[in-house]
């Protein structure tokens, strides 16, 4: 067939619980929080094949997402609620030849966020009832496979990240919304190679360079309050190395190491130009072990991040962070998966809430479906 239409319906119910009786993360009072993030998306793709090599697609995506937060220690308190509606449309053209694949995709997105309970926040005058944003994104790619075990790739993208619920509205204790936040704009180019010597082992080495304008960073302000703000410009460059192995049918091992230089390249204070981006570690390493059999899988992960700086003015390096987590997943039916996850189960409090926002032991219950 030269033309065909595909439609995909996705949904997610994301439930997070965080117990913090000593107010070491959530301030100013003790918290036993539970957050819910229902999400749904309907996407359609109209594909037309000009010939065996060239393909075009028209894309249309609709999304709806909600947020609600509840303090289980104070059930009668006013609870934060917000919603997000979004629509995106665009097109794509790609070509595939014997050892070469290339393409370009353009998408335009409109997003509307609504704060449904503005009275739930102490600083209501600093929050918004609603906010809308629209922006384009563009990406292009060129992949080559000179040998059956070697692949080369080059990707470029121009993208936006709008402010999240917490950043825009101040959803969460100790946070104040910033109605003046602008979406981040990021331009990035990456090149790399993938080596697959056999079916049960692969490794990827890549390098990247990018610029982010209006980078959104959340930091502590006066009176122990968190506020998000835009940085004018951050420049990024670095390397990433990843490998994955399946030594047995039931076992998967994976590791990802990344090193990056993230520096301030435009700031009202010229003395800070060239300084490292606050709250951004120079390196990260993630190790994952997964056991799987049939519809059941379980795993363990450890994320270690290098030292970082609290703010652009505080240049004292902070300690590295360690986040150990476990997860259990079940696929009871086609298109449906249920996951229970615990992050930072060791409850490592090797930080303070004036710096990197790394919470204590956190529980997640996630249900995904796709039709």
């Amino acid at each position: 067939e030269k033309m065909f239409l595909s439609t995909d319906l996705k949904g997610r119910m994301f439930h997070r619980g965080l117990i913090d009786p000593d107010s070491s993360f959530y301030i100013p009072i003790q918290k036993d929080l539970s957050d819910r993030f229902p999400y749904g998306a309907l996407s359609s793709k109209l594909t037309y094949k000009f010939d065996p090599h060239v393909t075009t697609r028209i894309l249309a995506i609709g999304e709806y997402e909600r947020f609600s937060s509840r303090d289980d220690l104070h059930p009668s308190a006013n609870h934060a609620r917000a919603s997000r509606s979004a629509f995106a449309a665009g097109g794509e053209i790609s070509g595939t030849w014997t050892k070469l694949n290339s393409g370009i995709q353009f998408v335009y997105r409109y997003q509307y966020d609504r704060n449904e309970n503005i009275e739930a926040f102490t600083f209501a005058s600093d929050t918004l009832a609603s906010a809308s944003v629209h922006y384009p994104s563009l990406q292009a790619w060129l992949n080559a496979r000179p040998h059956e075990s070697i692949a080369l790739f080059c990707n470029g993208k121009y993208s936006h990240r709008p402010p999240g619920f917490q950043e825009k509205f101040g959803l969460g204790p100790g946070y104040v919304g910033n109605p003046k936040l602008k979406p981040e704009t990021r331009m990035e180019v990456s090149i790399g190679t993938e080596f697959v010597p056999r079916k049960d082992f692969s490794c990827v080495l890549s390098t990247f360079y990018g610029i982010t304008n209006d980078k959104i960073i959340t930091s502590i302000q006066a009176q122990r309050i968190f506020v998000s703000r835009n940085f004018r410009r951050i420049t990024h460059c670095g390397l990433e190395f990843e490998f994955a192995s399946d030594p047995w049918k039931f076992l998967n091992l994976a590791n990802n190491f990344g090193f990056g230089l993230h520096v301030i390249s435009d700031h009202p204070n010229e003395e800070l130009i060239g300084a490292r981006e606050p709250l951004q570690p120079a390196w990260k390493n993630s190790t994952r072990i997964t056991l799987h059999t049939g519809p059941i899988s379980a795993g363990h992960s450890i994320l270690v991040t290098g030292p970082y700086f609290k703010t652009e003015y505080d240049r004292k390096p902070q300690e590295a962070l360690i986040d150990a987590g476990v997860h259990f997943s079940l696929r009871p039916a086609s298109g449906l998966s249920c996951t229970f996850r615990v992050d930072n189960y060791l409850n490592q409090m090797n930080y303070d809430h004036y710096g990197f926002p790394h919470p204590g032991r956190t529980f997640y219950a996630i249900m995904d479906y796709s039709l």
Side-chain angles (χ1 to χ4, degrees):
E1 297 181 3
K2 279 195 169 185
M3 180 182 294
F4 56 90
L5 177 68
S6 61
T7 302
D8 188 25
L9 176 64
K10 294 183 179 180
R12 163 172 284 201
M13 180 62 186
F14 180 94
H15 188 114
R16 176 181 66 186
L18 188 145
I19 302 174
D20 187 26
D22 299 325
S23 293
S24 52
F25 179 66
Y26 284 102
I27 52 179
I29 58 176
Q30 64 178 4
K31 290 289 172 180
D32 186 356
L33 290 175
S34 59
D35 297 335
R36 295 172 177 83
F37 300 83
Y39 168 83
L42 176 65
S43 61
S44 295
K45 297 180 181 180
L46 179 63
T47 302
Y48 179 78
K49 285 184 171 292
F50 284 98
D51 56 48
H53 303 292
V54 180
T55 302
T56 60
R57 289 187 177 91
I58 298 176
L59 316 172
I61 303 171
E63 299 177 1
Y64 181 77
E65 182 178 3
R66 290 184 60 84
F67 167 87
S68 64
S69 182
R70 175 185 176 89
D71 180 2
D72 295 328
L73 294 180
H74 304 84
S76 61
N78 222 353
H79 306 306
R81 296 190 303 273
S83 63
R84 170 175 295 167
S85 303
F87 177 77
E92 173 186 311
I93 183 169
S94 61
T96 302
W97 293 268
T98 305
K99 297 183 178 182
L100 190 67
N101 171 265
S102 64
I104 186 170
Q105 182 187 89
F106 175 82
V107 175
Y108 202 89
R109 178 184 174 95
Y110 173 82
Q111 178 175 300
Y112 177 77
D113 294 344
R114 181 169 177 262
N115 190 340
E116 299 179 358
N117 192 13
I118 197 170
E119 294 82 6
F121 312 104
T122 305
F123 300 88
S125 61
D126 292 326
T127 61
L128 293 173
S130 63
S132 63
V133 64
H134 51 88
Y135 52 88
S137 63
L138 179 69
Q139 60 177 327
W141 61 92
L142 176 63
N143 306 319
R145 186 171 290 278
H147 188 270
E148 61 180 9
S149 62
I150 299 176
L152 306 175
F153 58 87
C154 177
N155 302 313
K157 65 179 180 179
Y158 171 80
S159 60
H160 288 72
R161 186 185 81 82
F165 286 136
Q166 182 172 275
E167 297 160 336
K168 197 76 172 181
F169 296 134
L171 300 180
Y175 287 86
V176 175
N178 184 354
K180 298 180 181 180
L181 280 179
K182 303 175 183 178
E184 292 181 0
T185 303
R186 181 166 182 135
M187 295 171 285
E188 183 177 287
V189 175
S190 62
I191 59 174
T193 180
E194 180 183 23
F195 179 53
V196 187
R198 55 179 190 266
K199 293 183 179 180
D200 59 356
F201 180 84
S202 65
C203 61
V204 178
L205 177 64
S206 62
T207 181
F208 63 89
Y209 176 84
I211 296 174
T212 301
N213 293 314
D214 298 316
K215 177 69 180 288
I216 299 174
I217 296 179
T218 302
S219 59
I220 194 74
Q221 304 295 312
Q223 301 176 348
R224 303 175 73 199
I225 296 299
F226 284 107
V227 178
S228 298
R229 56 200 171 104
N230 290 111
F231 264 65
R232 286 186 180 178
R233 183 179 300 158
I234 303 291
T235 300
H236 318 266
C237 62
L239 297 168
E240 289 189 359
F241 176 74
E242 181 177 0
F243 78 84
S245 176
D246 299 300
W248 295 283
K249 292 183 178 180
F250 60 88
L251 178 64
N252 174 263
L253 306 174
N255 191 88
N256 179 279
F257 175 80
F259 173 81
L261 295 176
H262 308 269
V263 299
I264 301 171
S265 52
D266 189 7
H267 196 278
N269 186 347
E270 295 184 357
E271 295 181 358
L272 294 175
I273 295 178
R276 276 175 50 185
E277 176 188 350
L279 307 181
Q280 183 67 251
W283 59 268
K284 297 180 181 180
N285 189 84
S286 173
T287 303
R288 302 179 302 278
I289 301 175
T290 305
L291 298 171
H292 52 85
T293 175
I296 300 174
S297 66
H300 184 275
S301 63
I302 296 179
L303 172 65
V304 182
T305 64
Y308 60 94
F309 297 123
K310 291 181 181 179
T311 71
E312 66 270 33
Y313 298 100
D314 185 354
R315 311 313 295 169
K316 180 182 177 181
Q318 305 300 304
E319 295 182 4
L321 299 177
I322 300 176
D323 187 344
V326 293
H327 79 271
F328 175 82
S329 298
L330 175 66
R331 295 184 176 273
S334 176
L336 176 65
S337 67
C338 303
T339 302
F340 178 75
R341 193 174 88 229
V342 183
D343 286 353
N344 195 12
Y345 64 80
L346 296 176
N347 205 28
Q348 294 292 311
M349 310 299 283
N350 52 353
Y351 66 95
D352 62 69
H353 54 255
Y354 295 98
F356 196 75
H358 180 69
R361 186 180 297 117
T362 311
F363 302 87
Y364 299 86
I366 305 169
M367 182 174 68
D368 286 296
Y369 67 89
S370 178
L371 297 177

